């Protein structure tokens, strides 16, 4: 791996730590809103698929050994099997699908739509895992997660697109 790739991956690990711990005082069924997903939506514009996979594996390993890289300065195996772990596991396919779509599509509206669709799929996966771990009510949990997180995710998609539109082309993959 080239030094430039390692530097980009390391930069996004650091940015993830920062974004994970910017937490507005909003909490839905024990899961806080964070700015992690802004970075999850932004990474596919700036890293290729190989770099995304390496970034994700490094992130999971850092978390697994207990370094507090996740939301609320948390880390460890408990985070990777806890109620919100489904969101974490949905990020990799979300980023890869988004990256592949971006690579073959320049239409901004289509990119926004795929970002919204993938965000909702991620929320759905996170909600299903949450239901499985907590033995929660399926309808109530899905409805509250999709409505609460969905609205915020749509806003985050537009924030990411504003960031992407302001970035110099050399930073975009």
């Amino acid at each position: 791996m080239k030094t430039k790739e390692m530097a980009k991956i390391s930069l996004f690990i650091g940015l993830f730590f920062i974004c994970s711990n910017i937490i507005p005082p909003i909490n839905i069924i024990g899961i806080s809103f964070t700015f992690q997903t802004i970075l999850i939506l932004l990474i596919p514009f700036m890293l290729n698929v190989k770099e995304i996979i390496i970034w994700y594996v490094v992130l999971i390993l850092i978390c697994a050994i207990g370094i507090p890289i996740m939301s609320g300065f948390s880390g460890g195996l408990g985070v990777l099997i806890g109620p919100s772990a489904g969101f974490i596991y949905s990020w990799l396919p979300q980023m890869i699908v988004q990256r592949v779509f971006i690579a073959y599509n320049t239409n901004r509206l289509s990119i926004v739509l795929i970002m919204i669709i993938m965000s909702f799929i991620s929320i759905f996966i996170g909600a299903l895992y949450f239901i499985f771990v907590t033995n929660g009510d399926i309808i109530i949990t899905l409805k509250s997660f999709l409505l609460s997180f969905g609205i915020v995710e749509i806003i985050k998609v537009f924030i990411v697109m504003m960031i992407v539109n302001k970035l110099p082309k050399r930073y975009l993959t």
Side-chain angles (χ1 to χ4, degrees):
M1 181 183 321
K2 296 178 184 171
T3 305
K4 181 180 176 182
E5 290 173 321
M6 290 189 320
K8 281 173 42 176
I9 291 165
S10 299
L11 172 69
F12 281 103
I13 292 287
L15 286 172
F16 182 85
F17 173 76
I18 293 167
C19 290
S20 293
N21 294 294
I22 300 173
I23 305 172
I26 303 168
N27 191 305
I28 304 291
I29 315 175
I31 297 177
S32 300
F33 286 97
T34 67
F35 288 99
Q36 290 171 327
T37 51
I38 286 181
L39 199 61
I40 298 303
L41 291 165
L42 182 62
I43 283 174
F45 286 97
M46 303 183 79
L47 299 180
N48 62 40
V49 171
K50 175 185 161 195
E51 293 166 338
I52 289 169
I53 293 169
I54 293 169
W55 174 87
Y56 182 80
V57 169
V58 170
L59 180 77
I60 296 300
L61 290 173
I62 288 171
C63 181
I65 62 172
I67 296 174
I69 195 162
M70 296 295 180
S71 176
F73 298 100
S74 61
L77 294 176
V79 171
L80 297 176
I81 60 171
S84 62
F87 293 104
I88 296 168
Y89 298 126
S90 70
W91 292 338
L92 183 60
Q94 177 183 0
M95 289 186 293
I96 290 173
V97 168
Q98 184 182 326
R99 173 68 217 139
V100 170
F101 193 84
I102 291 167
Y104 296 104
N105 193 328
T106 58
N107 181 304
R108 294 289 188 192
L109 179 58
S110 297
I111 293 170
V112 166
L113 289 175
I114 198 70
M115 291 168 69
I116 291 170
I117 290 167
M118 291 310 298
S119 292
F120 273 86
I121 290 171
S122 181
I123 293 167
F124 184 74
I125 291 168
L128 290 179
Y129 187 88
F130 183 88
I131 292 164
F132 174 75
V133 170
T134 63
N135 204 17
D137 182 88
I138 294 172
I139 301 301
I140 293 171
T141 304
L142 284 174
K143 194 183 320 181
S144 63
F145 273 49
L146 290 170
L147 288 174
S148 303
F149 289 116
I151 293 166
V152 174
E153 285 302 304
I154 291 170
I155 294 167
K156 289 178 182 179
V157 164
F158 287 103
I159 291 170
V160 167
M161 289 309 291
M162 288 189 306
I163 293 168
V164 167
N165 288 333
K166 295 292 181 186
L167 285 173
K169 297 292 182 222
R170 70 178 180 270
Y171 294 128
L172 304 175
T173 302

